[in-house]
């Protein structure tokens, strides 16, 4: 199904702790809704570049788990454009993605926009732009194991540095800025293992919502 251009897109927020499966869930949901050509916005693409700090200062202040890590104004502006059926360009100036030279992409509007990230419900303005808010609930021990396997196995980190970063940035910030946002979720989804029933239920709800808007 092509973009209609006549309705406000439905926006789905997917939040959860580090390594809870947000990207996996978002991709699987997009596959189930392939006829709508869903857009996925990853909060990590809007991490700030910290370029205003010297390398020495940056070492002390850089974070990926505190709200200060995200260029909220840019992310919110992009989501508002998509909800107005306007194209966006990524990466945006000031983001880490732009700083490291990621390829520029034009993202066309879609009837389904999925936003995923571990801080997205923390920001009220962004939260108010989300029609459906999903929180993936995974046991903390499992998330730590997944994160260590990911960082060491696919991100070329050594175990010592991965643990050091987890202790410095994830542990102190998760209980303040991520876990409490569970209260904003419309649905809390267990995602210790694949949860096809939850995925199919959410996809069916989105289809029904869009059908009512188009009628």
């Amino acid at each position: 199904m092509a973009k209609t251009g006549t309705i406000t897109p439905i926006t789905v927020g997917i939040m959860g702790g580090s390594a809870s499966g947000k990207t996996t869930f978002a991709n699987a949901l997009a596959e189930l809704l392939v006829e709508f050509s869903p857009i996925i916005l990853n909060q990590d693409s809007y991490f700030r570049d910290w370029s205003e700090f010297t390398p020495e200062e940056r070492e002390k202040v850089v974070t990926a788990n505190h709200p200060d890590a995200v260029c909220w104004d840019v992310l919110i502006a992009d989501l508002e454009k998509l909800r107005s059926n306007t194209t966006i360009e990524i990466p945006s100036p000031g983001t880490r993605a732009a700083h490291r030279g990621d390829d520029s992409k034009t993202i066309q509007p879609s009837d389904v926009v999925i936003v995923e990230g571990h801080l997205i419900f923390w920001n009220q303005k962004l939260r108010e732009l989300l029609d459906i808010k999903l929180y993936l609930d995974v046991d903390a021990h499992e998330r730590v194991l997944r994160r260590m396997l990911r960082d060491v196995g696919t991100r070329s980190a050594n175990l010592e540095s991965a643990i050091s970063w987890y202790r410095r940035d994830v542990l102190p910030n998760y209980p303040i800025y991520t876990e409490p946002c569970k209260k904003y979720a419309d649905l809390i989804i267990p995602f210790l293992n694949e949860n096809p029933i939850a995925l199919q239920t959410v996809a069916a709800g989105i289809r029904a919502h869009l059908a009512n808007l188009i009628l």
Side-chain angles (χ1 to χ4, degrees), residues 74-193:
V74 180
L75 174 53
I76 290 167
D78 278 355
L79 185 54
E80 287 177 334
K81 288 177 184 177
L82 290 172
R83 285 174 58 85
S84 299
N85 296 304
T86 303
T87 60
I88 64 172
E89 297 286 335
I90 61 169
S92 299
T95 62
R96 185 175 67 184
H99 183 73
R100 68 185 176 222
D102 286 7
D103 292 339
S104 179
K105 296 179 182 178
T106 299
I107 297 180
Q108 301 291 338
S110 168
D111 287 336
V112 179
V113 180
I114 301 170
V115 186
E116 63 102 344
H118 60 281
L119 293 167
I120 58 172
F121 297 170
W122 178 86
N123 186 286
Q124 182 178 350
K125 289 183 179 179
L126 180 59
R127 200 165 64 236
E128 290 172 351
L129 294 173
L130 301 172
D131 300 303
I132 300 174
K133 295 180 288 296
L134 311 174
Y135 190 98
L136 302 188
D137 195 20
V138 178
D139 176 79
H141 300 299
E142 175 64 20
R143 287 190 292 100
V144 172
L145 292 173
R146 289 180 186 177
R147 171 137 187 167
M148 293 303 107
L149 288 170
R150 181 190 69 191
D151 289 357
V152 175
T154 64
R155 296 187 177 179
S156 301
N158 62 61
L159 184 59
E160 184 177 355
S161 65
I163 291 173
S164 176
W165 176 258
Y166 196 91
R167 285 173 171 164
R168 178 176 98 69
D169 195 51
V170 181
L171 279 180
N173 288 309
Y174 171 78
I176 300 174
Y177 302 111
T178 297
E179 187 174 37
C181 288
K182 189 184 297 186
K183 66 185 178 184
Y184 299 121
D186 299 305
L187 291 172
I188 297 174
I189 298 174
F191 207 58
L192 180 62
N193 300 302

Side-chain angles (χ1 to χ4, degrees), residues 12-65:
V12 183
I14 301 173
M15 187 176 178
S18 177
S20 59
K22 300 177 294 296
T23 301
T24 299
F25 193 96
N27 289 336
L29 183 60
E31 287 182 11
L32 287 175
L33 297 169
V34 66
E35 69 268 30
F36 299 106
S37 300
I39 294 166
I40 299 177
L41 290 185
N42 188 311
Q43 165 210 276
D44 291 5
S45 298
Y46 293 86
F47 277 147
R48 59 190 286 196
D49 61 17
W50 305 95
S51 60
E52 69 270 33
F53 294 95
T54 66
E56 293 77 15
E57 292 171 330
R58 197 177 304 138
E59 188 68 24
K60 298 177 182 178
V61 300
V62 69
T63 176
N65 290 276

